[in-house]
Amino acid sequence: VLNKQETPVVISEATRKKVLEAARTLGYVPSAAARALRKGACRTIGILGNAPEIFLDSLRTVGLDTEMMRALMMEALHAQVHVLLLTGVVEDDHSYNNQLAEIGMVDGLVVYNRDLSAGGWFLDAIQNSGRPLVYLMEYPQEPAVCYFAPDDVQGGRLAAEMLLAAGHKRIGFLTENIYPGIFGRRRAGWAEALRQAGIMPADAWVLTQQTQLDARIVQSERLTALVCANQWLAFNFRAKTAKASGLAVPDDISLVAVTCESPNSRHSADLARAYSPLTDIVAAGTKALIELVSGKELAEQRHLFPFIEQPGVSVKALVES
Amino acid sequence: VLNKQETPVVISEATRKKVLEAARTLGYVPSAAARALRKGACRTIGILGNAPEIFLDSLRTVGLDTEMMRALMMEALHAQVHVLLLTGVVEDDHSYNNQLAEIGMVDGLVVYNRDLSAGGWFLDAIQNSGRPLVYLMEYPQEPAVCYFAPDDVQGGRLAAEMLLAAGHKRIGFLTENIYPGIFGRRRAGWAEALRQAGIMPADAWVLTQQTQLDARIVQSERLTALVCANQWLAFNFRAKTAKASGLAVPDDISLVAVTCESPNSRHSADLARAYSPLTDIVAAGTKALIELVSGKELAEQRHLFPFIEQPGVSVKALVES
DNA sequence: CTGAAAGCGCTTACAG
DNA sequence: CTGAAAGCGCTTACAG
């Protein structure tokens, strides 16, 4: 009765009800541990974000954000798969064992937006254990890994091109010292587009979120526009830096954000953006992981999602003087 | 070697290293299933938010928000406990079994901000299985349950008192048709404070997030202030409703939000608030659940966290005319 | 101190 | 079609 979906055994409706009723009154719940032990799989995937130090580091640096969580949960729910939150810190031997045990609780893992520059013994241990691993957003350089990520270089290029098309020439890049991979690639795209337009992207044009300094650079370098490495930076520039220094967006400075966040989430619905929906990336990656866990092979290992142009009020067209 | 923290057996450092090295090269990971089966516990707690329909319903209605996630993870990490995300939807028999199996994967559960007005067979099943259950934020009325929640009635009262102290008399309540329990209690507190001040809180003073209608009521009822059922509503009122109808905050209308969100998260850092930190509630509740799972008893079952007053720019003092 | 056995609760393959 | 047995990988209690 309890495993009815798999066995074609015919059971009278009356006894079926009786069994179910008994199970309920006894508070019977199947032992997931026993089932998993026997089956050799637990229909659970792990999600590994950034280490908790980074969680705490900055209140807005959320390792796992809600938009991605929702997409992940939707896929997991659809595939009847459970989701375990992993941490992946190591402090001592005891924690080491605890971490290993964590790997033993999942059939496969999704690594989301994780800073990969730090030592990756945990990721190595996962690889060694033979469990499938799918990277989302941030990914390592090794050729063998499977990832789903936005095409950051193209995104940076697109954002710069949107501003070039509006007549801007002196276009800066606003970034921050996190997500070195993602932001680095977006910066490369920005630089590429500028060079292609015959403009030399000076290092001095790269702003790094230091309110006073940034405003001074905008003025001294006579920047008329900025490509922002993500949506939050654009929002924050408009709300803080621009306001504090008397700059108006877009009258004095135009902004285009390179982003995977949906326009509805958080702030910035009205910003001009190069947009590659996070939801699509997460959904595709999660689906792929679930297939890998079920023993299927993927046709492609590496998946890059393009950014598309979304106009907004933060860009002002410049008329050539 | 692998379970070293528990056994006092002396093993030479050389062999220890050799064993560890072998484990690594073989990709050995202890079987969590086998361990859990044997031990009768898996050191995993579940977190149950709202059903996914509600996730999807509104992009801003996030069932599990990052602030709570972080607090939960911190406690879990500290206690070396794992976290499983549960869904708790039921559609058919198959899903029913899947849900039951999900319960079998955890030693106990935290129920966060969940809408309890819908049928709770899932929660009943958890109770029946004998697993500890701790409610966070929203909680049922039954006397036996264990919960950690803000003192919403006091919060609503405090917010209204902040406005009364600033000289306001015609104070409305801005709410929405979600979180009936939480918002209902905050509304009760608001009404209580007004009555205590000799003011009759009319039903007409309750606004429900319909931009045009709300603005009209503010004007027709000559409201000078609003208690907002949460921070988002206050933010949205200021950003949309007030702006659309030419009302200025705080010159035409003062706002105080009743909220558990930290001022840094999302918007609204400058709003006047009655504040009860979500982080404290979640941390305490998670810690309690972990104790319950370990077989300890709690001295108290019900925990209400007070709101404290946080002044902000959204309140203007009224001079009696 | 060391090593072998029992058993946690399931599922599956096999005997009756 | 039904029922009993084997075994998944651990841990713990017990025998040697």
Side-chain angles (χ1 to χ4, degrees), chain B residues 146-214:
Chain B
C146 174
Y147 63 75
F148 290 72
D151 190 346
D152 295 304
V153 175
Q154 177 257 337
R157 212 188 307 125
L158 179 60
E161 284 164 359
M162 288 166 68
L163 290 163
L164 288 165
H168 293 270
K169 304 249 185 269
R170 305 184 72 85
I171 303 168
F173 187 78
L174 178 62
T175 186
E176 205 176 7
N177 281 332
I178 49 170
Y179 310 128
I182 294 174
F183 285 7
R185 289 187 291 271
R186 291 178 186 179
R187 176 176 169 178
W190 157 79
E192 213 173 89
L194 260 58
R195 260 185 248 107
Q196 207 158 30
I199 300 162
M200 183 60 200
D203 278 351
W205 290 8
V206 177
L207 315 189
T208 54
Q209 269 285 99
Q210 294 149 284
T211 308
Q212 318 232 342
L213 186 61
D214 286 354

Side-chain angles (χ1 to χ4, degrees), chain A residues 3 28 31 34-35 38:
Chain A
N3 295 11
Y28 171 78
S31 158
R35 190 173 284 183
R38 176 62 237 226

